[in-house]
Amino acid sequence: MNLVVNNTSLFLAAMLVLVALGISLWQKLGLDKDIIVGVVRAIIQLFVVGYLLKYIFRVNNLWLTLAMMLFIVFNAAWNAQKRGPGIAHALPISFLAIFISTGVTLSVLVFAGAIKFIPSQMIPISGMIASNSMVAIGLAYRSLNSQFHDQRQGVLERLALGASVMDASIAIVKEAIRTGMAPTIDSAKTVGLVSLPGMMSGLIFAGVDPVRAIKYQIMVTFMLLSATSLGAIIACYLAYKNFYNAQKQLK
Amino acid sequence: MTTLMQLQHVNYQVDDKKILTDINLTIPAGSHYTLTGPSGSGKSTLLRIMAAMISKTSGDLIFDDQPLESYDPIMYRRQVSYCFQQPTLFGATVADNLAFPYQIRKQTMDTDHVVEALEYVGLSAETLTQKIEALSGGERQRVALIRNILFLPKMLLLDEVTAGLDEANKQIVHEWLRHLNVDRHVTTVMITHDTTEIAAADQLLQVTAGQLEVLK
């Protein structure tokens, strides 16, 4: 292993934060407080997670692993629903969408033998899947909100013609799903050319043969496509109905 | 004549603001009503309540001897069709718009029927393939109106559909509405500010500050 980060090098690397702070103060961006809060939070959260994972990996208990995965899914849902202000039941919808997308994707990976059901594999992979599903759902919510606002007249006209709420919303729902999936598809197209993504970089960093590392990255690309499409489609199809009342009128 | 729609003590308010007060109206089947009144008096709100696009705060709306609440809103709107003042055409072409009423009924578009409707309002069969951006205001309004009647509703609610049209286009729409009302027995209620249309009305209603008055 070539990993040489120690407390001293980490402390020196913290100087990089001063660069961001300096720019904020110099340009009067007003971000200095946010930067400090962000850095302190990142340090505390990562230390807590580091020790927590060390403990979970050591005890290797099924229920503890599942509880940690559920915790990740809940946090992802909590963050996704923040992107959908005004969408009723956004939290349970996001939770269900991320739960199913993560569950289905993980199950396929486990049954295919790509990963093992051990905490050191299940938990990081759950995090990757849930966070991508979270971003996709957040983008889809934003798209639903803006389209139902901008295309209000078109939706009203479809309803007036006797369309069901599904028929009146289908164009908006499809566009929202597309918007949610777009970043994953774009990054699938440019993977290796523009960025060396986290999984692959991590493995290479840890000294793994790059040819082996790319196989994991290919698996990640597959799983993220599945997770974002499932997450976005479930969330959109459950959320669009909340733009209507019981009389099938646009709220 | 049998009664098609009846409004009994209908009120509508948003928060504490009363928009419509104690509306009572009986509309016989096959009739044609003209509805006028100052801007902001509540005319469009009244039509939207009749179309189940918004819900009354209190009172009763009876359609075809059944209370509004007994209908599925979607099936009701297929019988009581509301036409907007400035309609939005959706999709890319005229065909996208005229296929929509068929799509929502899980049917394929009856091109002969659609072309017949287009020709009735002075538009050719070629209009079907035209891009919606290429249409004039009058053509857009006519296409939008056809959308509402490809499956003939029992009642057509028209919200200032002739506003902004030139005389020639107005004439086409008037004749077509008369045909729908007289020959096809569609009951119509039309909001207008047009003095000629008001003068020509047989049955005239006026909404002033949320209250309905029968003028003729």
Side-chain angles (χ1 to χ4, degrees), chain B residues 205-216:
Chain B
L205 306 168
Q206 181 170 285
V207 178
T208 316
Q211 293 191 313
L212 184 73
E213 207 183 337
V214 179
L215 297 184
K216 267 200 229 176

Side-chain angles (χ1 to χ4, degrees), chain A residues 153-165 167-168 245-250, chain B residues 52-55 72-74 77-78 81-82 84 86-88 90 100 104 106 147-148:
Chain A
Q153 181 64 20
V155 175
L156 287 172
E157 301 216 14
R158 288 176 172 92
L159 289 175
L161 290 169
S164 64
V165 293
D167 285 326
N245 64 19
Q247 287 74 42
K248 296 172 185 171
Q249 296 159 347
L250 192 56
Chain B
M53 294 298 289
I54 53 174
S55 295
D72 170 48
I74 295 158
R77 290 179 198 132
R78 291 183 186 181
S81 196
Y82 179 80
F84 287 80
Q86 283 171 322
T88 309
F90 29 78
F100 188 73
I104 61 176
K106 313 273 179 262
R147 266 189 333 205
N148 288 76

